Amino acid sequence: MSSLTYDDIRIEEDHGIYIITIDRPSALNALNLKVFMQLEQALDALKEYDELKGVIITGGGQKSFVAGADISEFSSIPPGGAKAFLSTGNRVMNKIEGYHKLVIAAVNGYALGGGCELAMACHMRIAGEGAKFGMPEVNLGILPGYGGTQRLPQLIGKGRALEMILTGEIIGADQAKSLGLVNHVVPAGGELAKAKEIILSIADKAPLAVEKIIASVNYYDADLHQGIGFEGDQFTALADSHDFKEGTLAFLEKRKANFTGK
């Protein structure tokens, strides 16, 4: 097994399968612009590898896949600038979803907010028994901004997606599987093995057919990116609200938010 290392992600190879591990333990692997840029660089570099059979994205440690977006970065968003702030993350999510080889999320802990959105951008999701999924952005006075309002309904249906997003509910791996959010639930620690098994089962199929199947399935809604653009507009409007500032501050101060609807 050979290894390549970035600052906040690790890349390891195992028989043509490349494992990208987001490794920010002090932040529970939260996504920030630096992580997004490193993910994009890694995905672009791996495209040049002839031996590439598939990609697995996972989180470092046992507690968290990706606990969400790095909320401390939100304070740097200028008025009206939230959609531009989202553009890098959405570009990376779209790149994962449209990747020419199978990309599987091995969810080994919390997959919340942007972490859940990252998992949904992958073609399949394998969850350990202790994994948790949710999009609690509403508790911050905001909405999912990395495709969550567009991809979740495609996976679990509109009504269930609305309930999950509007309540901010955190669900376990078994419930996520019953809803259709997760493909397989395995004993904790077995996520990578199951993901590798699936990739290897597909690796001897016709590569061009696999690529075209992924592209065709992703064409379920030709207006997805328009939907994400609309979502970004709504995110920008919310990012300029008092409630978002209050929700973010309350989160960082570990207290209950006092929303005013302004």
Side-chain angles (χ1 to χ4, degrees), residues 59-74:
Q62 299 301 313
K63 190 171 184 180
S64 179
F65 169 71
V66 169
D70 194 333
I71 294 174
S72 64
E73 269 193 345
F74 287 0

Side-chain angles (χ1 to χ4, degrees), residues 74-86:
F74 287 0
S75 60
S76 65
I77 301 176
K83 193 171 183 179
F85 173 83
L86 294 173

Side-chain angles (χ1 to χ4, degrees), residues 69-110:
D70 194 333
I71 294 174
S72 64
E73 269 193 345
F74 287 0
S75 60
S76 65
I77 301 176
K83 193 171 183 179
F85 173 83
L86 294 173
S87 62
T88 299
N90 272 316
R91 186 175 68 245
V92 175
M93 299 288 190
N94 293 339
K95 182 166 290 190
I96 292 168
E97 185 176 51
Y99 211 60
H100 68 301
K101 294 290 187 179
L102 190 64
V103 182
I104 299 180
V107 182
N108 53 320
Y110 290 109

Side-chain angles (χ1 to χ4, degrees), residues 17 26 32 62 66 85 91 100 104 122 130 133 163 180-181 184-185 195 218 231 239 252:
I17 299 171
S26 62
N32 59 15
Q62 299 301 313
V66 169
F85 173 83
R91 186 175 68 245
H100 68 301
I104 299 180
C122 296
F133 297 83
E163 181 178 359
L181 179 56
H184 299 277
V185 177
N218 283 340
E231 176 185 270
L252 295 173

Side-chain angles (χ1 to χ4, degrees), residues 192-207:
L192 288 179
K194 183 63 178 179
K196 290 177 184 178
E197 176 189 323
I198 293 173
I199 290 174
L200 290 175
S201 73
I202 296 171
D204 62 350
K205 312 296 184 187

Side-chain angles (χ1 to χ4, degrees), residues 1-246:
M1 178 183 288
S2 60
S3 177
L4 299 172
T5 304
Y6 292 76
D7 289 341
D8 293 325
I9 67 173
R10 290 183 281 110
I11 304 178
E12 299 168 300
E13 182 267 337
D14 186 5
H15 297 90
I17 299 171
Y18 282 79
I19 304 159
I20 300 177
T21 302
I22 299 170
D23 195 18
R24 299 184 67 216
S26 62
L28 296 178
N29 305 325
L31 298 171
N32 59 15
L33 291 175
K34 184 178 178 183
V35 170
F36 277 129
M37 292 177 68
Q38 290 180 19
L39 281 173
E40 184 170 39
Q41 291 167 7
L43 291 166
D44 287 344
L46 292 178
K47 277 190 173 182
E48 306 302 319
Y49 286 40
D50 292 337
E51 75 275 19
L52 176 65
K53 294 177 180 176
V55 175
I56 300 171
I57 298 178
T58 192
Q62 299 301 313
K63 190 171 184 180
S64 179
F65 169 71
V66 169
D70 194 333
I71 294 174
S72 64
E73 269 193 345
F74 287 0
S75 60
S76 65
I77 301 176
K83 193 171 183 179
F85 173 83
L86 294 173
S87 62
T88 299
N90 272 316
R91 186 175 68 245
V92 175
M93 299 288 190
N94 293 339
K95 182 166 290 190
I96 292 168
E97 185 176 51
Y99 211 60
H100 68 301
K101 294 290 187 179
L102 190 64
V103 182
I104 299 180
V107 182
N108 53 320
Y110 290 109
L112 306 179
C116 190
E117 290 173 297
L118 175 63
M120 289 192 295
C122 296
H123 303 131
M124 299 181 190
R125 288 148 293 282
I126 311 299
E129 289 176 333
K132 303 289 185 184
F133 297 83
M135 285 188 285
E137 287 90 345
V138 68
N139 296 322
L140 301 179
I142 205 70
L143 56 73
Y146 293 124
T149 68
Q150 305 302 297
R151 291 190 175 99
L152 187 61
Q154 297 291 339
L155 290 169
I156 71 173
K158 182 178 178 181
R160 289 172 172 172
L162 274 170
E163 181 178 359
M164 192 169 168
I165 295 171
L166 287 172
T167 64
E169 177 186 11
I170 309 299
I171 63 174
D174 288 334
Q175 185 176 355
K177 183 176 184 295
S178 71
L179 290 173
L181 179 56
V182 164
N183 294 76
H184 299 277
V185 177
V186 298
E191 306 87 10
L192 288 179
K194 183 63 178 179
K196 290 177 184 178
E197 176 189 323
I198 293 173
I199 290 174
L200 290 175
S201 73
I202 296 171
D204 62 350
K205 312 296 184 187
L208 185 58
V210 170
E211 181 177 349
K212 296 301 185 185
I213 288 167
I214 291 171
S216 297
V217 171
N218 283 340
Y219 200 72
Y220 55 77
D221 184 352
D223 292 325
L224 170 64
H225 300 306
Q226 292 180 18
I228 291 175
F230 177 82
E231 176 185 270
D233 289 336
Q234 311 317 303
F235 188 100
T236 295
L238 289 171
D240 292 340
S241 71
H242 173 272
D243 277 355
F244 175 53
K245 295 177 176 62
E246 165 62 12

